[in-house]
Amino acid sequence: MIQIWKIKDLRDSILFVAAMLVIFRIAAHIPIPGINTAAIKDFFAANQLLGIMNILSGGGMENFSIVAMGVAPYITASIIFQLLVMIVPRLEEISKDGEAGRQKINQWTRLLTVPLGMMQAYGLIALLRQSRVEIFTDLTSWRLLMILVTATAGTVFLMWLGELISEKHIGNGISLFIFAGIVARLPSIIQQTILVFDKSQILTLILFAGIAILTIVGVVIITEGQRNVPVSYAKRVRGMKMYGGVNTHLPLRVNMAGVIPIIFAISIILFPPMIAQFFLSAKTAILVSIAEKTIAIFQNQLIYGILYFVLVFGFTYFYTEVVFKPDQIAENLQKQGGFIPGIRPGKHTEEYLTNTTHRIILAGALFLGIIAVLPMILQGFTGMTTLAIGGTSLLIVVSVVIETYKQIESQLTMRDYEGL
C-alpha cells in the first residue's frame, strides 16, 4: 500500500476511481419523483430474485433511484454480443480485426444498451405495479415516459463512468459498480443483526462467521484454480537457426464462465412468475388460476432452489462450450508444432481437451450451483434472515478484488521494470 501511494500516477488513478464510486453511490440515493420508496424497499426485501437483480444492478433498484437499472442492461448487451460473436461468422471476423474490431463491437454494445434499458425499466415498472401496495403515485403516460427516459439515461451515465474507470486500469468499471453496491449494503445488514440480537444467537453467529470465511476461501480457490495441461513444442530448423524444443503448459480454468451462468439462470427463472403477474387480473378464470399456481410454484423455496441450482449448473456447461474452443486450440497447436505428450495432434488433441474440460467444469458447475442456493440453505438451518450469506455477492466481491489486485500488481511490476 505504501508503494502504491508513493507512485503519483497510480495514486491519482486510485483516487479518480474512488471519486467515480462516490458519484455512483450519490446517484443511487436520488429517487425518481413519484415513487413510494418505503413500499418498494419492502417489496424487494420479500422477493429473493428481485434482491439478486438489485445486486446485479449495483444496488440502486431497491429505492428506484435515477440509476435504478444500474449496469444490468449493459451486462445483458455484452452477453448478447459475446454469444453473437461465437455464432455469427461476420461478427467473429470483425472481432479478430484487432483494436478497430473491438471498438466496433463495443459501440454496438453501447447502442443496444439503450433499448434494453428502456425495456428492462418498463418490465420492472409493470412488475411493481402488480404489488398490493401502491408504489407509484399518479402514474400517467407522461410520468411513465419520464421514468423510462430517466432510468435509461442513468444506465448510459454509469456505462460512461465505468469506461472511464476501466481506462485507468484499476479494475473493471462495470464490476466495481456492482462491487460498490454490495459493499454499501453491509452496514445496514450489520445494523439489522444488532437490533434483533439476543444471547441465544451467539453460536449461530459464530457458525455464520465460520461458514462465511470458508465460502470466501472456496471462492478464491475455485476462481484461481486451473489445470495445467503439459504442452511440448518440437524442434524446428529454419535457415541456420533452430527453434522450439520448449516445454510449457496450457491452463484450463475450473470456472471459465465466472458469474455469467448465475445471471443467465436469474433471467430464466424470473421470467415465468413475471409473466404470470400480468395474468392475475385477467377476465378468464383459467388464466388467473394458472398464473396463481405458477407464482405459488416459484415461491416454494424447495422448488425454486432446485430449479435455480439446475439452471446454474446447466448454463455453466453451456457458456463454457460457447467460450472454450478445443478445435481451434488443437489446430493452433498443430500449426505451431506443439503437442500434448502422449496425445496425437489434431482430432485426438481436440477430444482430449474436450473430455478434460468437461471433468474440470463439473467442479466449477457444482460450486456455482451451491453458491447460488447457499442463502436458502443457511436460512433453513439457522433461521436467520438478516445475515444470510449472499453466495452470488461473495463470488462477485472476491472476483472483483482479485481482478483489481492483479491489475494494480501488474502496474507496479511495469514501473519496477521502468525503474531498472
Side-chain angles (χ1 to χ4, degrees):
M1 293 298 293
I2 294 170
Q3 192 178 2
I4 290 169
W5 196 252
K6 284 181 178 178
I7 300 170
K8 185 180 184 302
D9 293 344
L10 201 53
R11 183 176 68 244
D12 291 345
S13 296
I14 291 174
L15 291 174
F16 176 83
V17 171
M20 294 301 102
L21 292 178
V22 169
I23 291 171
F24 161 62
R25 291 310 304 162
I26 291 172
H29 283 83
I30 303 174
I32 295 174
I35 307 293
N36 185 344
T37 53
I40 197 172
K41 283 183 179 179
D42 293 340
F43 187 71
F44 270 85
N47 192 309
Q48 278 192 331
L49 284 175
L50 288 176
I52 297 171
M53 280 183 64
N54 180 54
I55 289 170
L56 296 177
S57 72
M61 194 180 283
E62 64 183 352
N63 59 352
F64 219 94
S65 67
I66 57 174
V67 290
M69 294 299 100
V71 289
Y74 181 74
I75 293 171
T76 306
S78 301
I79 292 170
I80 288 171
F81 270 101
Q82 280 182 16
L83 295 175
L84 287 176
V85 165
M86 304 296 173
I87 297 167
V88 181
R90 176 61 183 153
L91 286 176
E92 189 176 2
E93 289 176 12
I94 293 173
S95 68
K96 292 178 179 177
D97 286 344
E99 186 61 31
R102 283 193 295 272
Q103 285 182 359
K104 272 187 182 179
I105 291 175
N106 287 339
Q107 185 62 21
W108 292 338
T109 304
R110 296 187 196 106
L111 292 172
L112 181 61
T113 301
V114 176
L116 283 177
M118 295 282 282
M119 290 169 60
Q120 197 164 326
Y122 182 78
L124 181 61
I125 291 168
L127 179 64
L128 294 176
R129 289 180 74 180
Q130 300 296 326
S131 173
R132 295 177 181 177
V133 183
E134 189 178 1
I135 293 175
F136 298 96
T137 56
D138 189 26
L139 189 61
T140 60
S141 299
W142 172 251
R143 189 177 289 277
L144 175 62
L145 179 62
M146 183 198 72
I147 292 172
L148 292 176
V149 171
T150 304
T152 306
T155 294
V156 175
F157 175 65
L158 290 187
M159 180 178 67
W160 175 61
L161 290 185
E163 290 181 353
L164 290 179
I165 291 174
S166 298
E167 287 174 4
K168 296 294 181 180
H169 302 290
I170 307 292
N172 180 280
I174 303 301
S175 301
L176 281 170
F177 284 144
I178 301 174
F179 169 85
I182 295 168
V183 173
R185 296 172 62 207
L186 287 177
S188 61
I189 292 172
I190 294 170
Q191 183 185 27
Q192 289 174 18
T193 305
I194 292 171
L195 288 173
V196 299
F197 175 77
D198 62 67
K199 293 180 180 179
S200 63
Q201 293 179 335
I202 291 177
L203 289 176
T204 305
L205 288 174
I206 293 171
L207 176 65
F208 173 85
I211 293 174
I213 293 169
L214 289 175
T215 304
I216 293 170
V217 172
V219 170
V220 173
I221 291 170
I222 295 295
T223 303
E224 292 294 282
Q226 64 184 34
R227 164 79 179 274
N228 294 328
V229 177
V231 175
S232 298
Y233 288 90
K235 292 181 180 179
R236 292 175 294 174
V237 178
R238 290 183 182 177
M240 298 298 292
K241 292 185 178 180
M242 182 177 289
Y243 297 91
V246 178
N247 293 322
T248 181
H249 65 267
L250 176 68
L252 301 179
R253 299 190 72 83
V254 176
N255 181 19
M256 295 185 190
V259 294
I260 299 297
I262 293 177
I263 297 172
F264 279 0
I266 292 168
S267 303
I268 297 297
I269 207 168
L270 188 65
F271 188 72
M274 185 181 290
I275 295 298
Q277 292 278 354
F278 294 107
F279 291 97
L280 286 175
S281 56
K283 295 179 180 179
T284 309
I286 297 174
L287 286 176
V288 174
S289 177
I290 293 171
E292 288 175 348
K293 287 179 181 177
T294 303
I295 293 169
I297 287 170
F298 281 87
Q299 284 179 345
N300 185 306
Q301 292 293 301
L302 180 61
I303 295 173
Y304 161 69
I306 292 171
L307 282 175
Y308 196 13
F309 179 87
V310 170
L311 284 171
V312 170
F313 186 88
F315 277 125
T316 304
Y317 272 91
F318 168 75
Y319 192 75
T320 303
E321 290 290 330
V322 171
V323 174
F324 184 71
K325 301 288 185 182
D327 54 337
Q328 293 180 5
I329 294 173
E331 184 182 347
N332 291 335
L333 283 175
Q334 192 170 11
K335 286 179 180 177
Q336 296 167 7
F339 62 93
I340 298 171
I343 308 295
R344 291 181 181 179
K347 190 68 178 176
H348 291 84
T349 299
E350 179 188 339
E351 291 174 356
Y352 174 80
L353 290 174
T354 302
N355 294 333
T356 304
T357 304
H358 285 169
R359 289 197 298 270
I360 294 170
I361 295 302
L362 176 63
L366 286 171
F367 175 78
L368 283 180
I370 292 169
I371 281 289
V373 299
L374 187 60
M376 287 176 287
I377 296 172
L378 284 177
Q379 284 181 20
F381 278 102
T382 63
M384 291 188 68
T385 56
T386 56
L387 266 181
I389 299 176
T392 307
S393 302
L394 280 177
L395 181 63
I396 293 170
V397 167
V398 174
S399 300
V400 171
V401 169
I402 290 172
E403 181 185 9
T404 306
Y405 169 77
K406 285 183 175 179
Q407 287 199 19
I408 293 174
E409 189 179 38
S410 66
Q411 290 205 45
L412 286 173
T413 305
M414 180 181 68
R415 283 167 172 77
D416 285 343
Y417 276 113
E418 286 176 353
L420 294 171

